Amino acid sequence: MNEFIKLEMELKTTDFVYEELNEEQKNIIDYYKDSGDIEIIETNDIEDYNRILNILKHSSGLSFEDCSVWHYAEKLQGILLSGDARLRKQALANGISVRGILYVFDQLLLTNLITFDLAINKLEQLYEFNPRLPINAKNERLLRWKSGKHVN
């Protein structure tokens, strides 16, 4: 997590997502919130709340929390970082810029926050834990990273 936080990104999540976390996860987020590295967006505006409800109404199988991050990615013209296939597909179809864990690896390597060897090791561990991730993208990265090259 420390390397991820060091990326030159404004990291934000919503109060709705935060409330879904268990206590251990909240403690980690609180640490980074207190240091100014992560912002938790509070939804106090009725227009924001209604827009989230509208996204929920017109989406398929998404949670209110999913729709909240979609709304703020759109409102703030940011990148939605998610590995949820349904959220990714529907948000992309509606013009939202969406990235996933492989993008994070790419950014960590491009900014020299991790080495190719560490990226290879962690990516292989990740696929053991979650084999549903895109296999072609994994293989492309492993091939390039083993030869010390970044993904274009």
Side-chain angles (χ1 to χ4, degrees), residues 25 101 121-133 138:
Q25 293 166 326
I101 189 69
N121 179 273
K122 294 297 182 184
L123 186 60
E124 288 173 339
Q125 286 179 6
L126 179 63
Y127 272 79
E128 287 175 20
F129 176 73
N130 187 355
R132 296 181 307 162
L133 292 167
K138 170 202 169 197

Side-chain angles (χ1 to χ4, degrees), residues 65-78:
E65 294 79 11
D66 291 337
C67 296
S68 74
V69 293
W70 173 341
H71 164 65
Y72 285 107
E74 180 177 51
K75 180 178 180 175
L76 302 172
Q77 298 178 336

Side-chain angles (χ1 to χ4, degrees), residues 74-134:
E74 180 177 51
K75 180 178 180 175
L76 302 172
Q77 298 178 336
I79 295 171
L80 176 56
L81 185 60
S82 177
D84 183 286
R86 282 185 185 166
L87 176 57
R88 291 175 56 85
K89 183 178 180 182
Q90 293 178 60
L92 278 168
N94 282 274
I96 306 300
S97 180
V98 181
R99 300 288 186 273
I101 189 69
L102 297 177
Y103 170 82
V104 173
F105 273 103
D106 294 338
Q107 296 306 302
L108 290 168
L109 284 166
L110 286 168
T111 56
N112 296 313
L113 289 170
I114 62 174
T115 64
F116 285 110
D117 287 339
L118 181 59
I120 291 165
N121 179 273
K122 294 297 182 184
L123 186 60
E124 288 173 339
Q125 286 179 6
L126 179 63
Y127 272 79
E128 287 175 20
F129 176 73
N130 187 355
R132 296 181 307 162
L133 292 167

Side-chain angles (χ1 to χ4, degrees), residues 19-101:
E19 289 305 320
E20 279 192 313
L21 303 176
N22 65 41
E23 287 307 310
E24 182 179 343
Q25 293 166 326
K26 283 182 178 179
N27 288 337
I28 294 167
I29 296 301
D30 287 343
Y31 173 82
Y32 289 109
K33 182 182 78 167
D34 293 344
S35 67
D37 293 312
I38 292 178
E39 177 186 347
I40 298 175
I41 301 170
E42 299 283 335
T43 303
N44 298 317
D45 187 334
I46 192 68
E47 289 178 26
D48 288 323
Y49 188 78
N50 286 336
R51 175 67 181 129
I52 295 167
L53 285 175
N54 190 49
I55 294 169
L56 181 63
K57 178 181 174 184
H58 292 95
S59 67
S60 175
L62 298 182
S63 69
F64 186 86
E65 294 79 11
D66 291 337
C67 296
S68 74
V69 293
W70 173 341
H71 164 65
Y72 285 107
E74 180 177 51
K75 180 178 180 175
L76 302 172
Q77 298 178 336
I79 295 171
L80 176 56
L81 185 60
S82 177
D84 183 286
R86 282 185 185 166
L87 176 57
R88 291 175 56 85
K89 183 178 180 182
Q90 293 178 60
L92 278 168
N94 282 274
I96 306 300
S97 180
V98 181
R99 300 288 186 273
I101 189 69

